Every structure is written in structure tokens, then in C-alpha cells.
Amino acid sequence: RLKSLGVSTLQPVAYGVIGLNPATRRPYLVTQDLTDTISVEDLGKQWLTQPPSLVLKRALIKRVATIAQTLHSHGMCHRDLYLCHFLLHLNEPELRVSLIDLHRAFSSPRLRRRWLIKDIGSLYYSCLHLNLSQRDLLRFIRYYDPRGLRYAIGRNADFWQAVSTKASSLYRRHGDAA
């Protein structure tokens, strides 16, 4: 489904089930290897000593926000949405980011607000150590919320406050482990 929405992800090549007993059977999936990639989290850690170009930073913020918005607007929730699950493809002429680790993802005709807050809060938590500016955060909000920045920080401010609270809660619980 992600491919049909324009979100780059893993390409399945085989699947199966291990075990005969229905109570202990475990499914598995084999995917094509994603080579020449770096997680956006690892790339962000490099930014602390070697800042990125403004063009790359803005393009990554836009792409990650667009992927999250696409998932959520089509009734999908990742449930483990951290920067480490976004892979930047290196040595490609255009920016390409793949979303991985989909084993906990689910789909629902109408996602509950708490799932959106969990996803975006987890993503925000994984960005806390990157020293993103207020403008970077507002840029993410602008691309995530199709109604625009003014609506997001005005009429939808409670959502973004809940996202910030979720990120802070994760930080208190896990520290800088994202």
C-alpha cells in the first residue's frame, strides 16, 4: 500500500511461517536489501559536528513530514515512528527516503488521535538531540498539516502540545536513547 502512495519502503521477496502449532507459529518476511543507505538518525548525529547544507536539511524535514502525513491521512499508523526507521538513499540523483520496520504498523478507516500523537511524538523525541531550530520544527508542522501552519499552531495547537508532551514523556523515560 505504501508503494501505491508514493512512499518508498522495503520490497518483499518471500514470506512464510515457522512452526506447525498455531499457538507458537511465527510468520517471517524476507525483503530486498536496501544498500547505500544511512538512517536519518545517524545522519543527524553527524550534523552535531558537521552541519548539513540548508538545502539537504530542509528537504529531509519536508520528506519525513510528507511521509508521516501520507501514512496518517490514509489511515495508517507506524507505531514505532523514529528517525532510525527513515533511510536516506545515498548516491542517488534525487532525494529518496525509505520507511522501514513496519512490523507494528496497522491500518484503520479512522485513526484515533492518540495514535497520531504517539507517532509524531515518537518522531519528535528522536529529533530532540539534533538541535533543530524553532523554524525547523515549524517547517515540519507546515508540511505535516495540510491545512497550513496558521491552522496548525492556532486551531490545532492542542494536538501539537500533546505531541510535545509525548516527546517529553519519552525523554524522561528513556533519556537520549532514540
Side-chain angles (χ1 to χ4, degrees):
R1 184 156 179 219
L2 290 176
K3 291 264 187 197
S4 71
L5 296 172
V7 176
S8 181
T9 189
L10 299 166
Q11 178 66 39
V13 292
Y15 66 92
V17 177
I18 297 173
L20 298 174
N21 180 345
T24 60
R25 290 188 341 186
R26 293 184 331 205
Y28 65 90
L29 177 70
V30 178
T31 63
Q32 198 171 48
D33 188 20
L34 290 178
T35 58
D36 290 333
T37 62
I38 184 172
S39 77
V40 175
E41 178 185 36
D42 289 340
L43 182 65
K45 287 176 183 175
Q46 293 175 7
W47 292 356
L48 299 175
T49 56
Q50 191 175 25
S53 73
L54 199 54
V55 172
L56 175 62
K57 185 178 181 184
R58 287 180 177 173
L60 278 173
I61 290 169
K62 180 179 182 179
R63 187 64 191 135
V64 168
T66 302
I67 289 171
Q69 197 280 330
T70 300
L71 281 173
H72 294 160
S73 67
H74 288 88
M76 291 179 278
C77 182
H78 191 278
R79 292 180 57 193
D80 205 19
L81 197 63
Y82 297 99
L83 282 181
C84 61
H85 296 142
F86 290 89
L87 298 183
L88 173 65
H89 293 261
L90 305 171
N91 305 320
E92 292 203 9
E94 292 192 23
L95 182 80
R96 182 172 152 221
V97 177
S98 290
L99 181 63
I100 63 166
D101 204 12
L102 301 166
H103 68 280
R104 296 183 61 211
F106 74 91
S107 171
S108 172
R110 180 157 154 54
L111 283 181
R112 299 181 83 166
R113 185 175 186 259
R114 73 183 188 101
W115 289 112
L116 304 178
I117 291 168
K118 182 186 184 315
D119 264 6
I120 302 302
S122 299
L123 187 57
Y124 183 28
Y125 160 70
S126 68
C127 296
L128 289 176
H129 69 286
L130 299 181
N131 299 327
L132 294 176
S133 70
Q134 188 70 23
R135 282 186 160 194
D136 294 330
L137 299 175
L138 291 172
R139 186 170 282 113
F140 175 90
I141 292 170
R142 185 180 82 200
Y143 290 120
Y144 177 79
D145 194 325
R147 296 165 292 198
L149 185 59
R150 182 170 294 191
Y151 180 90
I153 61 176
R155 297 175 91 182
N156 205 18
D158 60 326
F159 172 81
W160 294 104
Q161 182 57 52
V163 165
S164 181
T165 300
K166 179 66 176 175
S168 296
S169 170
L170 286 168
Y171 189 82
R172 280 191 307 279
R173 192 173 333 139
H174 302 292
D176 197 13

